[in-house]
Amino acid sequence: MNVFTTAAALHAWSVAQKRDGHTVALVPTMGYLHEGHLSFIREARRHCSKVAVSIFVNPTQFAPNEDYDAYPHKEEDDIALCEAEGADAVFLPQPAEMYPEDASTWVEETVLSKGYCGAQRPIHFRGVCTVVAKLFNIAAPDVAVFGQKDFQQVAVIRRMVRDLNFPIQIIRAPIIRDEDGLAKSSRNTYLSPDARKAALSLSKALFAAKAAVEAGERDAATLEAMIRTTTTAEGWIPDYVNVVDSETLMPLKTVHPGNAAILLACRREGLRLIDNVLL
Ligand code: AMP
């Protein structure tokens, strides 16, 4: 497995793979890899003959009051995990490699990125779109795999790919959860034992709402209220809970199963978790 730290080296590798008749998939991550990320390497392999994983904690998607400096790292372990999963390349750039000191160009999606997490984190998606566009130019993949866990992120990336004509297929891979239901996240490492236990209320509330829809409930406000009650009882205060159209992310008043999702973000003790479920 190749480990690259420069954009030029990853690009040259990708071009050479394609010249040899391979297809290339990119799995973008911020590292501190868990089973969710590793499942993407396997998913990527189903689509392409070569798989590159990027590991880069992107400074431009964090506001000054967020956890950029505290974000967990374990690069050596991550490289070993990628190798064990059969990745062909890992891209591990330093911030200076990705952002010249006087960088002054941004990629901004202006509709799907504004609500939900974008409302709480106004510069977040501009940073995500900019770094993902750069990774796409550097790695020149045929396919890129993103996680349903960040539901709004995938919608924004798909819109960017469509609007800017990136010749790249975007795969939305399912959420990987701990056995008890909590969506895996690198940030789960911040949870105290109490908060970890109480965090189960997020997935529990989403699954209960999904079951209610399967039993015939169609009113979005009723579902959202159910979820708020369950999470709040465990000390997780919702930033937002919304039944949305799964493509446009527009809030729905009435659920149309097959074309809807419930998105939520909750806070407790300064920590923020997101989760969602497709209906
Ligand atoms: P991150 O390293 O947390 O920025 O995530 C990198 C990619 O992995 C993003 O596309 C996330 O949506 C995805 N991801 C993170 N956690 C999960 C999970 N538990 N299940 C599925 N995808 C995930």
Side-chain angles (χ1 to χ4, degrees):
M1 188 183 73
N2 300 281
V3 178
F4 300 117
T5 55
T6 68
L10 176 64
H11 189 73
W13 174 83
S14 179
V15 169
Q17 301 312 309
K18 289 174 167 188
R19 203 185 299 124
D20 289 346
H22 291 291
T23 51
V24 174
L26 175 67
V27 178
T29 80
M30 296 208 301
Y32 210 75
L33 302 181
H34 53 64
E35 177 53 29
H37 302 111
L38 302 181
S39 74
F40 293 3
I41 298 177
R42 298 190 284 274
E43 178 64 24
R45 175 71 69 205
R46 283 193 270 278
H47 297 272
C48 291
S49 53
K50 296 287 172 180
V51 177
V53 180
S54 64
I55 297 175
F56 180 59
V57 182
N58 173 35
T60 66
Q61 69 192 64
F62 291 80
N65 62 334
E66 293 182 348
D67 59 343
Y68 177 69
D69 289 327
Y71 199 85
H73 289 261
K74 55 175 178 71
E75 278 84 6
E76 292 306 316
D77 287 358
D78 287 351
I79 291 170
L81 287 168
C82 289
E83 181 142 41
E85 282 301 336
D88 301 286
V90 168
F91 181 46
L92 205 85
Q94 290 297 310
E97 176 68 12
M98 293 298 279
Y99 293 105
E101 222 170 276
D102 58 351
S104 54
T105 307
W106 296 101
V107 179
E108 187 170 15
E109 193 286 328
T110 59
V111 172
L112 301 180
S113 64
K114 294 303 168 194
Y116 315 115
C117 287
Q120 312 292 327
R121 308 180 71 191
I123 63 157
H124 176 70
F125 287 111
R126 182 185 75 165
V128 169
C129 284
T130 302
V131 80
V132 170
K134 287 166 69 71
L135 289 168
F136 285 176
N137 285 330
I138 294 166
D142 301 284
V143 167
V145 183
F146 291 84
Q148 182 197 323
K149 162 92 183 337
D150 294 81
F151 200 92
Q152 184 177 15
Q153 176 173 283
V154 194
V156 168
I157 298 292
R158 281 192 169 147
R159 179 63 62 90
M160 176 187 83
V161 161
R162 185 201 74 179
D163 289 352
L164 299 185
N165 302 91
F166 282 104
I168 298 171
Q169 185 191 355
I170 303 300
I171 306 292
R172 185 176 68 198
I175 299 179
I176 303 297
R177 298 179 180 279
D178 287 342
E179 265 174 31
D180 58 9
L182 180 69
K184 284 186 185 284
S185 166
S186 310
R187 288 188 169 101
N188 289 353
T189 173
Y190 302 154
L191 294 169
S192 67
D194 272 0
R196 168 69 183 75
K197 220 162 131 202
L200 278 186
S201 63
L202 277 63
S203 54
K204 213 173 102 192
L206 287 170
F207 295 152
K210 187 178 165 78
V213 171
E214 282 161 4
E217 181 59 63
R218 291 292 177 269
D219 182 54
T222 303
L223 296 166
E224 291 164 4
M226 277 172 55
I227 293 168
R228 282 178 179 279
T229 304
T230 306
T231 60
T232 306
E234 293 290 335
W236 282 94
I237 310 303
D239 267 353
Y240 63 81
V241 180
N242 284 100
V243 180
V244 302
D245 180 287
S246 52
E247 296 302 317
T248 65
L249 305 187
M250 291 297 284
L252 297 174
K253 285 200 163 65
T254 306
V255 176
H256 312 292
N259 201 17
I262 310 178
L263 312 184
L264 74 72
C266 291
R267 282 181 198 273
R268 177 181 151 136
E269 295 161 19
L271 297 179
R272 187 172 179 277
L273 294 180
I274 58 172
D275 200 350
N276 65 81
V277 72
L278 278 164
L279 298 174

